[in-house]
Amino acid sequence: MAACVLCRRVPSLRCLQGRRKEFTQVQHILGKPADETDEQEGKTGAFQHQEAFLQRSYRLHYNPSSYHHSVWNSATSRSQTDNDEDERCLSTLPPSFWQQSNRYSVSCSRHLSSSKNTLLDLAFNKDPEPKMPSVSRYHKKPIPPDVKVDTRAFQKCRPEYASMTLDLTQRPHPIEWEEAFHLLQKVAVLKSSMKPSDVSQFLVELSHLHPDKMSLVRSNQRFVMLLRYSVENLRLFTDLQLLEVLRSFVWLDMPSSHTLLGLYETELSRRADQMTFHQLLLAADLWRCIGRQVPQFLQHLYDSVHLYLGQMGVPELVQLLYIMGEGRQCPTSLIRPVQQLLMCHLQQLYPEEVGVVCLGLFKSQTSISENAVTRILDKAHASVKEMSDFAMVNVLKFLRFSYLYHRAWMEAMTQEVPQRAPRMGVSGLMHVALTCSALHYRDDNILIALAERVPSLVPHCRSKDSSKLLWAFGTLRFLPAQSPSFYPSLTEALRQRKAEFQRYPEHLLTGLLGLAFVSQFPEDLLALALSPDFVKLALKSTQLELKKDLLTLDGAVALELPQWTGPRLSCELREEIAELLWKFAQSDVCQKPEVQEAESALQDLLGGEKFVCKRMILPHTRSIDLEVHFDSTGQPIPVNPESHTTTLSPENSSSKSTSNQGWGKINVGVTITEELLAQLISTKTTTECLTPSPKRTSLRRVVPDEGRLFDTGLDLTSDIIETLTKRSSPGSAPQDAKGTVKLAIQVASRNHYCCHSQQLLGLHDMKRRQLKLAGYRVVDLSYHEWFPMLRKSRTEKLTYLRCKVYESL
């Protein structure tokens, strides 16, 4: 009896082993099309080769990651850091991280003359989906999206979209697995005798299987044979059959990185000249649904646009802009005609179409005229109430890219965002905050609404979401007291995502800078960011921004955490980055008229070049200052570079290269001694010191034009003159051991302040805070005061500067 049962079981066991063999021979990774607005957090599955599979009791080893990887995403440049969509979160790992191919397949390095073997080799040899062990340590299970967004809702606005797009919500009526298995058996029977119409029909019918069973089809050896036959018949397909096969690949969830798809792109590119414009748009949309970037085919699509300009209506134009956005490119030759068509059809656009137009222009980094941007924003503002949250956020993205302040739209946001924020997802909230930050637009109604929503969504925040939210709120100086849970929750989110920083170090630096702007310093994360290994990782990037971020964090730690015993940047690295920043400042900020005029006027006021030093007092704050010193009696003394005691670390105080940087015009030929100070004090009165030339008119005899001194209409009365000319009492400003009062005079530009406000942005507020910690008295020549003074007479400028300088003492 037992022997009988065993004999019955043997065939079934052999059959099971054979199926497992088929299951492991073809290595396809299950992938999802990338989301149109943001890369989705997902998972990457992997099947091990046959021996490993058998040795481990047939268990599948799952390797989750924080970001779904597709060729569409990884091929996108990460250099454009201002764009979320352009800052794709996965780059291809080196071959050592690739999953091993089935050892029974043909090596792709071998050159075979047989077309069948070559096609098989190209299409099925390897699985290029990489593992990502460094990102998978934290989450054992992927977190689903917090809020589902229909990114293709615009295609439902008009019936015309049906001929050039695929409606992902209308999946074909599903068939049962038994029917699919029967179709696969037919494939095995017909084999190479199948006609092109049979191949396309089989693929179309198999794509109707329920998504939950689709992995069974993809892992079946007969399906692999069918794919081989499709490649062999590729040139025999009609245009319609080729598009049908491509559509079936969408429903079959074909991995976007599958080598077979490259052959299909080549064939479609070859046929582009004979296809209609709607067919080209449909093919481009199907590639988008698959999630594969196809630059070769898109170039053919773009080349054909000029032939159809006169026939393009609203649907064709909107779909073209959508495809351009997803392809991250708009050829220069198309910018002008596309803009003209857009302006022609603008008033006919539905609200969702306005949103996708903005998204396409934003993702493709297409710069159109300011007048065109304004008209698009006017149209968006007129229909903002009918827009979905997704469309509204897309308009904000485009506004951020254009750096155009549209008053009516932003005022509408002060009403719309607080109402919509409670139902918005992480990505939408992040983009709203980033736009406000980029435009320097601070509105507490918007920020508080976002801050109250974010903590509940922290489990869904990627490191990029958390870091950019922290940066945006810190830049706008949203203080912790305004929402007690906002900063702690996002800081904890960064801790939870530490593994991601190994791949994306810029996210940690961005988040920590945003926290530093509002005096928040999580020491564990700072220790990680300044650790030698992390610094080495960050410096692998060619971006100067990461070096600047490291220096800014290091300098902030030195001044605001005096008890810090954790890691620091090396002196050599600090000096190297500071030198790069100074070279840039010399060619940019130092050449600005408002800076040069302030420097020149201060030299006249105080007695010559030796009394004013233009330099970066705190290099990590990335801006220059005009440094002026006074003695204990209120008289200016020459600025001596060797007397600078403000440094970023104890090591720097003894570094000759740091103290004698040569930043600015510094007279190094005079050493200030006690004897020289005594001579200066005894031989010069206050009036003499403040009057550089005996020929210069005394302040008391100055009569400004029309009796006015400032734009504010302040009259120059005797009381004001007395205030301006009186000597300040010594000791009212910070002094060093020798009684020297150091002033840091800052020429602020409009970009240092929030829009239509005198409130400083985060970086510049942090700089002033740290200058005070370093022993300097900050004198602000604000944009609102100094720029109008540039149109005044020299005497009025001197009067204004004298007032600002001596009131600070």
Side-chain angles (χ1 to χ4, degrees), residues 671-691:
T671 302
I672 303 300
T673 63
E674 294 295 336
E675 181 180 358
L676 180 56
L677 280 175
Q679 292 177 2
L680 290 171
I681 294 172
S682 62
T683 57
K684 289 188 177 182
T685 64
T686 304
T687 304
E688 290 171 344
C689 182
L690 296 177
T691 308

Side-chain angles (χ1 to χ4, degrees), residues 710-712 782-793 797:
F710 302 107
D711 283 338
T712 56
S782 71
Y783 169 84
H784 310 86
E785 295 177 354
W786 180 241
F787 276 72
M789 290 299 302
L790 296 178
R791 299 189 295 269
K792 303 285 187 175
S793 66
K797 294 173 188 173

Side-chain angles (χ1 to χ4, degrees), residues 603-607 611 630-631 633-636 680-701 721-722 724-728 798 802 806:
Q603 289 171 355
D604 288 350
L605 179 67
L606 300 178
F611 294 103
F630 288 86
D631 63 15
T633 65
Q635 296 188 26
L680 290 171
I681 294 172
S682 62
T683 57
K684 289 188 177 182
T685 64
T686 304
T687 304
E688 290 171 344
C689 182
L690 296 177
T691 308
S693 170
K695 297 180 181 180
R696 185 165 285 113
T697 307
S698 170
L699 179 62
R700 292 184 179 275
R701 291 195 286 272
I721 293 176
E722 182 179 356
L724 293 174
T725 55
K726 71 179 182 179
R727 291 176 59 176
S728 301
L798 291 172
R802 177 169 182 154
Y806 280 93

Side-chain angles (χ1 to χ4, degrees), residues 151-158 160-161 164-165 277 281 285 301 312-326 338 341-342 345-361 394:
T151 59
R152 297 161 65 90
F154 74 97
Q155 295 174 354
K156 298 177 183 177
C157 292
R158 305 172 192 267
E160 293 87 344
Y161 285 112
M164 55 185 130
T165 65
F277 191 58
L281 288 174
D285 194 63
L301 168 64
M312 289 178 62
V314 171
E316 290 82 7
L317 175 62
V318 174
Q319 180 66 14
L320 177 64
L321 283 167
Y322 168 74
I323 293 299
M324 286 179 175
E326 300 311 310
V338 164
L341 273 175
L342 185 56
H345 296 310
L346 184 60
Q347 295 308 316
Q348 303 173 43
L349 297 182
Y350 290 111
E352 290 306 299
E353 291 176 322
V354 175
V356 81
V357 163
C358 290
L359 181 63
L361 294 171
N394 290 338

Side-chain angles (χ1 to χ4, degrees), residues 5 171 405 410 435 467 571 717 799:
V5 173
R171 193 176 186 97
Y405 176 76
M410 294 309 297
T435 300
S467 64
C571 293
T717 63
T799 303

Side-chain angles (χ1 to χ4, degrees), residues 99-160:
Q99 178 165 341
Q100 296 179 8
S101 301
N102 189 308
R103 70 187 186 94
Y104 297 106
S105 61
V106 182
S107 170
C108 65
S109 63
R110 294 174 59 187
H111 178 74
L112 302 177
S113 59
S114 166
S115 61
K116 182 182 294 187
N117 286 340
T118 302
L119 292 171
L120 176 63
D121 167 53
L122 288 173
F124 313 113
N125 165 57
K126 66 180 182 178
D127 176 5
E129 284 283 350
K131 293 182 182 180
M132 288 162 289
S134 62
V135 190
S136 64
R137 300 175 203 153
Y138 174 67
H139 288 291
K140 297 302 180 185
K141 294 182 180 180
I143 297 177
D146 53 315
V147 174
K148 292 183 178 180
V149 175
D150 186 0
T151 59
R152 297 161 65 90
F154 74 97
Q155 295 174 354
K156 298 177 183 177
C157 292
R158 305 172 192 267
E160 293 87 344

Side-chain angles (χ1 to χ4, degrees), residues 574-587:
R574 286 199 293 268
E575 292 169 9
E576 174 192 341
I577 302 172
E579 186 64 26
L580 290 173
L581 290 170
W582 173 240
K583 287 180 179 178
F584 174 76
Q586 283 180 307
S587 62

Side-chain angles (χ1 to χ4, degrees), residues 10 20 57 101 107 155 170 201 230 277 295 380 402 405 564 653:
V10 167
R20 282 168 176 160
S57 304
S101 301
S107 170
Q155 295 174 354
Q170 299 297 320
Q201 187 62 29
S230 78
F277 191 58
S402 303
Y405 176 76
W564 178 261
S653 61

